[in-house]
Amino acid sequence: MNILLTGGAGYIGSHTALALMARGHQLVLVDNFSNSQPEVLKRLSNLSQGMPGSFDFHQLDICDAKALAAVFAAKAAAGQHFDAVIHFAGLKAVGESAREPLKYYQHNVAGTVTLLNVMQQYQVNCLVFSSSATVYGDPQSLPLTEQSPTGPQSVYGRSKFMVEHILADYCAANAAFSAVVLRYFNPVGAHPSGQLGEDPQGIPNNLLPFISQVAVGRREALTVFGNDYPTPDGTGVRDYIHVLDLADGHVRALEQLCNQAGQHLFNLGTGQGYSVLEMVEAFRQVSGHPIPLHFAPRRPGDVSACYADAGKARQQLGWQAQLNLTDMVSDTWRWQQQNPQGYRTANQAVGTAVEENADV
Ligand code: NAD
Ligand code: UFG
């Protein structure tokens, strides 16, 4: 298939691109590099050597309708068309979304509408969308099924939820359109080569990148947000899923559902929850490094526990997470060791370290 990946240079986009090339798909990646580095493209080229698929890249912002339309026009000029779009591009920092809501609605919501308009213009009728378990808000019961009550608690979460509604409305109006909404739980891990991984800019918001930066000596200690949750050890419980499993979920959803009109909604998680302290212990064992930590009050907006019922994806897509906690942690650790400053060069990293220290 010919597939457009927005946000294709990002963490989940780059891993999914590789999985799609391994299946022989022809890709066009677009990204504005607001949260990624061009170095990703070199790594993708190397890793995809010998694979049946291939990729092109265009640097652009999805809010720029003209630039986006030019990519579709170039495809048409070559006598081809996109069979589908996988839409990863978006902003994802929950705290920042509260401080800059308009930026989040612009990129995540308006950007998606711009993309849908261009897709409509070029009659591209399949979109796979990166949604989030955050649309469930504070769970009333666990595990979360796709039918569980929703109620996102952050601007970020509401931006994802709004797009889900927009896609439902567009499917209702366009009988040929297929929208696959994938609600990710907590993506972690890295490519086993150590060449692709998560490269947060500045201080990581998420648990595993923070732990791995402590283990590698880039940060002194982990702050554990809350030890008084109603969980077995008092710390927050989440459904961590390996990014390779997530990538495989996209491949299956795309290959099976793109020609089936309507909105299709799936949780992508493992169904297994781990606490913060269990993640710390797993990382300590795999890395052999101590992970100093201290406890602090709960982080505003955090829920006590969140994990998926992944039965629908298993039954309807034949998809099930294959990789376990040790895989997630050892692949993260390999990536962190091989790329202690992420994708940035040593020079850029010096600048970043100075800025970060000023913040801390
Ligand atoms: P990421 O930041 O690594 O990747 C997103 C990519 O989109 C980045 O490369 C960024 O430069 C690009 N981008 C952002 N805005 C853009 C714009 N306006 N135009 C063009 N490119 C733009 O994030 P990720 O972890 O790979 O997440 C991918 C998607 O999955 C996001 O939509 C995110 O909200 C969603 N998601 C992520 C998680 C998670 O924990 N990683 C969980 C649930 C959902
Ligand atoms: N945590 C810490 N210390 C840290 C970072 C996190 O104790 O430095 C704890 C959190 O309090 C939580 C757990 O580790 O209990 C996981 O936190 P993450 O930030 O890694 O993940 P969240 O579940 O809070 O959020 C993630 C994504 C969101 C997404 C949400 C639901 O970051 O974008 O999952 O899909 F919305």
Side-chain angles (χ1 to χ4, degrees):
M1 291 167 80
N2 282 300
I3 307 165
L4 176 71
L5 272 67
T6 72
Y11 171 47
I12 304 169
S14 57
H15 287 83
T16 304
L18 205 59
L20 289 165
M21 286 190 277
R23 295 278 299 166
H25 298 294
Q26 310 305 319
L27 312 182
V28 174
L29 275 50
V30 298
D31 204 296
N32 65 358
F33 293 129
S34 60
N35 196 36
S36 53
Q37 306 283 329
E39 171 67 19
V40 171
L41 304 175
K42 287 189 203 154
R43 308 252 177 127
L44 273 179
S45 290
N46 292 338
L47 289 166
S48 61
Q49 291 289 321
M51 285 185 178
S54 63
F55 77 97
D56 284 335
F57 177 79
H58 299 275
Q59 183 172 350
L60 60 79
D61 194 304
I62 55 154
C63 300
D64 181 345
K66 268 192 185 164
L68 207 47
V71 173
F72 284 69
K75 202 76 181 158
Q80 298 174 350
H81 71 280
F82 290 117
D83 300 296
V85 176
I86 309 185
H87 181 31
F88 297 104
L91 305 176
K92 62 170 185 175
V94 173
E96 184 189 55
S97 76
R99 293 190 298 274
E100 298 186 71
L102 298 184
K103 183 171 148 188
Y104 273 68
Y105 291 128
Q106 175 65 29
H107 283 263
N108 293 4
V109 182
T112 304
V113 174
T114 301
L115 173 65
L116 287 169
N117 268 312
V118 176
M119 289 174 67
Q120 185 178 44
Q121 191 186 337
Y122 286 87
Q123 293 173 5
V124 177
N125 279 323
C126 175
L127 182 88
V128 178
F129 175 62
S130 299
S131 190
S132 167
T134 201
V135 300
Y136 295 114
D138 200 354
Q140 289 171 17
S141 65
L142 291 166
L144 289 159
T145 72
E146 289 79 357
Q147 269 73 50
S148 292
T150 44
Q153 304 285 313
S154 66
V155 171
Y156 165 71
R158 283 190 286 279
S159 76
K160 290 289 169 188
F161 203 42
M162 284 177 194
V163 171
E164 291 194 4
H165 284 295
I166 290 168
L167 291 173
D169 290 344
Y170 188 48
C171 284
N174 178 352
F177 198 81
S178 164
V180 184
V181 171
L182 302 178
R183 290 177 175 164
Y184 310 155
F185 279 68
N186 288 59
V188 294
H191 192 265
S193 64
Q195 290 295 295
L196 297 179
E198 187 171 10
D199 182 18
Q201 325 266 306
I203 301 166
N205 294 310
N206 298 117
L207 180 65
L208 215 56
F210 203 108
I211 295 178
S212 63
Q213 292 193 6
V214 172
V216 85
R218 214 171 133 181
R219 300 189 183 278
E220 276 182 16
L222 171 72
T223 304
V224 177
F225 298 127
N227 60 353
D228 57 351
Y229 284 111
T231 60
D233 65 18
T235 64
V237 166
R238 295 290 184 278
D239 184 339
Y240 298 93
I241 175 164
H242 199 297
V243 66
L244 292 190
D245 278 326
L246 209 54
D248 182 46
H250 289 76
V251 174
R252 285 183 192 247
L254 185 84
E255 292 180 351
Q256 293 179 40
L257 294 174
C258 253
N259 291 323
Q260 293 190 35
Q263 194 184 34
H264 313 278
L265 191 69
F266 293 97
N267 284 340
L268 292 185
T270 65
Q272 165 82 51
Y274 290 104
S275 73
V276 174
L277 294 182
E278 285 174 318
M279 298 305 284
V280 169
E281 179 54 19
F283 216 97
R284 191 191 63 74
Q285 282 187 16
V286 163
S287 67
H289 286 241
I291 315 287
L293 58 82
H294 57 88
F295 293 103
R298 296 178 180 192
R299 188 170 62 177
D302 270 0
V303 302
S304 144
C306 172
Y307 50 90
D309 177 332
K312 185 179 177 196
R314 187 171 59 246
Q315 285 149 22
Q316 295 192 15
L317 300 175
W319 173 88
Q320 193 170 6
Q322 303 294 320
L323 300 169
N324 62 25
L325 183 59
T326 306
D327 301 313
M328 299 180 209
V329 171
S330 14
D331 289 338
T332 302
W333 180 230
R334 186 179 306 103
W335 154 256
Q336 183 67 63
Q337 281 180 296
Q338 291 184 20
N339 308 270
Q341 303 294 343
Y343 290 113
R344 276 149 287 186
T345 63
N347 280 344
Q348 286 172 304
V350 170
T352 310
V354 171
E355 267 168 42
E356 283 173 8
N357 285 341
D359 265 7
V360 173

